[in-house]
């Protein structure tokens, strides 16, 4: 039974890897292998690579100073942060908001088995994030200590402790989020606000990381003493990684006890929370005259309502609304510093402008509201299909939301850059035009991906918002385009001025936009009618 | 009002609807019965333009659903077997959404919403999110949304499922009212007693093929509809 549930959960998470919803048949083995290999590359190669670099930077110094525990304290804490941060909302979604909770609870399956399957999913997800940071740290440490037995045992114990501790934290935070969400009315906005605070804190530390790493490396002995003397349990935590038997036993026993406590806590409240319809007071209907709206305005209002109703959707698809203007403000305040940094790549106004444009375009990928929008119609698709509404209007509404949410922050950022940079007018005007054209192309691309790779069959909205192929393409495809936009200039800078480069880029973006527009309002529109 | 001529729909190799022809006239309540998987839902979805079909023609008031889908959809309303509505909207917001799409002026929609919501006793719940509604309440809301633009043809897939007896009675009255005003109803049901009492004409479909249709008397004669249906199914 547990195996079936786990298999179902695994199939749901990786459904798009196994099943081609477009052709309505399972994928070939070769395709499955390719998708999993690519996923592994992103997790192990890209994320793991970053942490391998950090480990190499820190480990040698700490080991030579006899502060292996401090190295593990830092890397372990980082893994815990990453694992918890990466999986807390997934925990909430998969434990309490899964759409098949009612179905499973109605079957003769013990609640504890449903819980165990769900919790194992949570554990594996948290492990995926935390191990990405910790495994490189353990390997680098073992290499530095010449694969001593204590290092290997310590490394394994550290991995076990960290992954279980992440699991405990994720469950507790998921439980708290679930409890709060049954009490409050504007859940989605409150969730977004809390999450943004998390993000804010995360990015604050992220940008200060280099400064902190340098400071720690320079004063490792002093900081080590401070931690050891003032927070002894943290010292013991670091010692787990070094393979200290006493620390290993204490920490593994403690985390196992915590796991048991969390399992009891959640299993006691799972049914109540998972089947709760919310304790929020019901609204009283007061009859009032509704203002009649046109079709496109009605569809637009529906799209915005859909967005505002889901914190998950807002958090995953709208972060760029904050980041894009933040880029502009950073440039306004630290423009000189950035320009001098960019001048490292070459002289003149060309390279800084192209790099600024490419960075701005990359940031636009963080607004991908349009990419999951068709899939999010899900089982409601029949409504649009049966109403006398042109599918072109439906697409226009989705496109408008995408464009609106990308364009306004982009224009703000462009104004900041133009004020701060003071480049020749000709170059600046064409820079602005090319960025705006990119914005249009990207918005059309998101809608294209949304229609082309639409998936209306899912049991959790996490699937279209976070795991859909359309979203994947919207993010990494736009990154690729932005990198190409910036990178090609380095190859052609000798032959073409930056102004003309922007003019040529704008023409290319306009041409691609036209092709995408034709597809969307032609084949795309027809596809929407029959999804 | 509705003409279905040689409708054929295949899913891969499987023929879900095979050369089906039906004529539904104004003023008629037309029942569509058949076993599970007989092709009822496929036919209804094809009629309201949700599903593309392989062969045949469907016309509503003389207009083809294939070539003039928007004009056809302005005249019809569809209620599916499972009313999956926008959970993120409140009931009243959903009704206004549908009314806006059909271009119903504010004062007219307010009267209709008030009339039907009061009849179904869901007026007080209209401000609440649809996510908090029971299946029956969603069904009632879907019915009000379908009636909001006074369609000429209403297509319903198992409309009585989930409704309480009072609501089912009200719905039957509303259906008759539409037909008395020159409209038509085309609906599927498994409840043969309802079909027997309510329908002017019926069609029985099995494995995608029409096996019998006509007025209630023509189809059942002196027998009960249940006996006739079971006999035909056995053949």
């Amino acid at each position: 039974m547990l195996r079936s549930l786990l298999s179902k959960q695994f199939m749901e998470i990786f459904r798009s890897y196994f099943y081609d919803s477009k052709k309505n048949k399972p994928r070939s083995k070769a395709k499955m292998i390719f998708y999993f290999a690519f996923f592994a590359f992103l997790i192990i190669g890209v994320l793991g690579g970053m942490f391998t670099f950090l480990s190499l930077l820190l480990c040698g110094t700490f080991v030579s100073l006899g502060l292996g525990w401090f190295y593990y304290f830092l890397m372990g804490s980082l893994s815990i942060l990453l694992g918890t941060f990466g999986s807390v909302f997934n925990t909430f979604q998969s434990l309490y908001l899964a759409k098949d909770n009612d179905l499973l609870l109605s079957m003769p399956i013990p609640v504890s088995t449903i819980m165990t399957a769900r919790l194992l999913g949570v554990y594996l997800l948290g492990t995926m994030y935390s191990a990405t940071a910790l495994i490189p740290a353990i390997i680098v440490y073992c290499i530095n200590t010449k694969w001593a037995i204590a290092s290997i045992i310590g490394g394994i114990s550290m991995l076990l402790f960290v992954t279980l501790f992440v699991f405990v934290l994720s469950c507790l935070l998921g439980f708290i989020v679930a409890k709060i969400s049954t009490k409050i009315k504007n859940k989605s906005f409150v969730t977004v606000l809390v999450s943004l605070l998390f993000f804010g804190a995360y990015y604050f530390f992220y940008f200060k990381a280099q400064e902190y790493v340098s400071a720690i490396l320079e004063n490792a002995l002093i900081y080590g003493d401070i931690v050891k003397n003032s927070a002894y349990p943290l010292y013991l935590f670091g010692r787990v990684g070094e393979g200290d038997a006493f620390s290993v036993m204490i920490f593994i026993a403690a985390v196992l006890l915590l796991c048991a406590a969390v399992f009891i806590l959640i299993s006691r409240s799972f049914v109540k929370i998972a089947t709760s319809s919310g304790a929020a007071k019901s609204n009283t209907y007061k009859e009032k005259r509704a203002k009649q709206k046109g079709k496109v305005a009605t569809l637009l209002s529906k799209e915005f309502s859909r967005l505002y109703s889901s914190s998950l959707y807002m958090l995953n698809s709208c972060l760029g609304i904050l980041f894009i203007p933040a880029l502009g403000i950073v440039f306004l305040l630290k423009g000189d510093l950035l320009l001098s940094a960019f001048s490292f790549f070459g002289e003149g106004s060309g390279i800084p402008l192209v790099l600024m444009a490419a960075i701005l375009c990359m940031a636009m990928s963080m607004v991908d509201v349009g990419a999951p929008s068709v899939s999010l119609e899900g089982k409601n698709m029949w409504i649009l299909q049966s109403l006398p509404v042109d599918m072109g209007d439906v697409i226009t509404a989705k496109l408008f939301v995408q464009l609106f949410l990308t364009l306004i922050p982009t224009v703000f950022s462009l104004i900041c850059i133009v004020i701060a940079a003071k480049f020749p007018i000709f170059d600046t005007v064409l820079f602005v035009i090319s960025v705006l054209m990119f914005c249009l192309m990207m918005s059309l691309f998101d809608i294209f991906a949304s229609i082309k790779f639409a998936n209306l069959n899912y049991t959790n909205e996490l699937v279209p918002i976070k795991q859909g192929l359309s979203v994947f393409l919207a993010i990494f495809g736009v990154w690729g385009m932005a990198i190409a936009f910036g990178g090609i200039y380095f190859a052609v800078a000798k032959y073409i001025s930056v102004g003309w480069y922007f003019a040529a880029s704008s023409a290319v973006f306009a041409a691609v936009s036209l092709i995408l527009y034709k597809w969307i309002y032609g084949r795309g529109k027809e596809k929407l009618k029959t999804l | 009002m509705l003409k279905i001529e040689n409708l054929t729909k295949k899913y891969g190799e499987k023929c879900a609807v095979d050369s089906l022809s039906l004529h539904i006239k104004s003023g008629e309540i037309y029942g569509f019965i058949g076993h599970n998987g007989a092709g009822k839902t496929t036919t209804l979805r094809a009629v309201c333009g949700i599903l593309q079909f392989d062969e045949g023609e469907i016309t509503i008031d003389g207009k083809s659903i294939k070539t003039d889908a928007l004009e056809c959809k302005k005249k019809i309303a569809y209620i599916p077997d499972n009313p999956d509505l926008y959970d993120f909207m409140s009931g009243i917001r959903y009704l206004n959404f549908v009314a806006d799409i059909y271009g119903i002026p504010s004062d007219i929609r307010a009267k209709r919403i008030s009339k039907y919501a009061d009849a179904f006793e869901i007026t007080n719940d209209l401000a609440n999110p649809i996510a908090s509604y029971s299946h029956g309440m969603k069904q009632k809301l879907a019915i009000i949304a379908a009636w909001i633009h006074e369609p000429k043809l209403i297509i319903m897939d198992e409309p009585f499922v989930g409704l309480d007896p009072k609501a089912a009675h009200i719905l039957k009255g509303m259906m008759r009212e539409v037909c008395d005003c020159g409209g038509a109803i085309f609906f599927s049901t498994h409840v043969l007693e309802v079909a027997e009492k309510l329908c002017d004409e019926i069609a029985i479909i099995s494995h995608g093929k029409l096996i019998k249709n006509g007025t209630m008397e023509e189809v059942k004669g002196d027998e009960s509809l249940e006996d006739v249906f079971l006999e035909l199914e056995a053949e």
Side-chain angles (χ1 to χ4, degrees), chain A residues 76-224:
Chain A
S77 304
L78 208 60
S79 312
I80 289 169
L81 264 178
L82 188 77
T84 312
F85 185 70
S87 62
V88 62
F89 285 104
N90 290 316
T91 311
F92 172 52
Q93 284 283 330
S94 59
L95 267 181
Y96 299 111
L97 294 186
K99 285 188 178 172
D100 57 353
N101 270 341
D102 285 356
L103 176 72
L104 295 179
L105 287 168
S106 72
M107 289 178 170
I109 306 171
V111 175
S112 58
T113 310
I114 302 173
M115 283 279 312
T116 308
R118 296 248 195 268
L119 290 176
L120 269 172
V122 170
Y123 176 72
L124 289 175
L125 200 71
T127 299
M128 189 180 81
Y129 285 109
S130 50
T132 304
L134 195 58
I135 288 178
I138 293 169
I139 293 171
V140 171
Y141 182 81
C142 285
I143 292 169
N144 271 280
T145 54
K146 299 191 170 55
W147 297 95
I149 297 290
S151 306
I152 296 168
I153 294 170
I156 294 167
S157 307
M158 191 70 173
L159 188 67
L160 187 66
F161 171 77
V162 166
T163 54
L164 287 174
F165 193 61
V166 163
F167 165 73
V168 168
L169 285 179
S170 298
C171 287
L172 282 177
L173 289 172
F175 173 78
I176 291 166
V177 172
K179 271 280 182 195
I180 293 171
S181 75
T182 57
K183 302 281 179 200
I184 54 170
K185 271 193 173 179
N186 293 319
K187 285 177 202 174
S188 48
F189 278 106
V190 173
T191 313
V192 168
L193 200 69
V194 172
S195 309
L196 286 177
L197 288 174
F198 264 110
F199 278 121
Y202 172 79
Y203 278 99
F204 177 77
F205 284 109
Y206 179 80
F207 286 115
K208 292 272 179 186
Q210 202 174 357
E211 205 178 298
Y212 292 153
V213 168
S214 309
I216 288 168
L217 279 172
E218 283 164 19
N219 307 291
L221 283 168
I222 300 165
Y223 287 139

Side-chain angles (χ1 to χ4, degrees), chain A residues 440-497:
Chain A
L440 175 68
M441 179 181 73
M442 186 211 78
S443 299
L444 285 162
F445 181 75
D446 281 10
I447 299 296
F448 159 78
S450 185
I451 300 172
K452 182 86 180 158
F453 303 104
N455 166 24
L456 303 182
N457 300 312
Y458 49 87
T459 48
N460 193 328
E461 71 172 15
L462 197 76
V463 175
I465 292 173
K466 288 193 89 166
Q467 297 157 356
L469 189 56
S470 56
V471 173
F472 177 85
L473 276 177
I475 295 171
F476 291 102
V478 172
W479 278 22
M481 291 179 215
I483 290 167
F485 179 29
I488 290 171
Y489 181 70
F490 283 87
V492 300
K494 284 180 187 169
Y495 315 104
I496 188 170
S497 74

Side-chain angles (χ1 to χ4, degrees), chain B residues 6-19 42 46 51-55 208:
Chain B
N6 300 316
L7 175 70
T8 301
K9 171 68 190 174
K10 288 176 183 167
Y11 294 109
E13 292 297 304
K14 194 193 168 200
C15 193
V17 181
D18 191 0
S19 256
T42 300
L51 199 67
Q52 305 244 317
F53 43 94
D54 302 302
E55 286 168 38

Side-chain angles (χ1 to χ4, degrees), chain B residues 57-77:
Chain B
E57 180 60 286
I58 295 170
T59 55
I60 295 165
D61 234 7
K63 293 197 162 99
S64 165
I65 192 77
K66 262 185 179 171
T67 56
D68 215 349
L70 281 188
E71 281 307 307
C72 288
K73 286 177 185 178
K74 281 178 189 168
K75 293 174 184 172
I76 65 169

Side-chain angles (χ1 to χ4, degrees), chain A residues 236-258:
Chain A
L236 290 181
F237 166 53
R239 289 280 289 151
V240 172
E242 287 186 317
D244 175 61
F246 174 71
S247 306
V248 167
M249 279 193 290
I250 292 273
F251 274 81
I252 295 294
V255 83
L256 287 175
L257 276 174
L258 279 172

Side-chain angles (χ1 to χ4, degrees), chain A residues 282-283 285 290 292-293 295 298 301-302 305-306 309 379-380 382-385 387-389 529-530, chain B residues 50 52 70 73-74 80 84-86 88-89 92-93 96-97 100-103 105-106 109 123 127-128:
Chain A
S282 65
N283 303 313
Y285 173 63
Q292 193 185 338
K293 285 188 273 192
K295 276 187 190 175
T298 305
S301 158
K302 182 213 133 222
S305 297
R306 180 70 185 88
S309 70
K379 288 176 180 167
N380 298 138
W382 70 271
I383 299 175
L384 294 175
Q385 286 173 334
L387 289 174
V389 54
K529 287 181 189 170
T530 53
Chain B
I50 294 178
Q52 305 244 317
L70 281 188
K73 286 177 185 178
K74 281 178 189 168
D84 286 308
L85 309 176
Y86 294 129
F88 56 90
M89 287 185 183
I92 187 67
R93 184 92 195 268
N96 278 316
F97 167 78
D100 280 331
I101 294 291
Y102 283 103
S106 304
R109 83 172 66 164
T123 308
N128 290 323

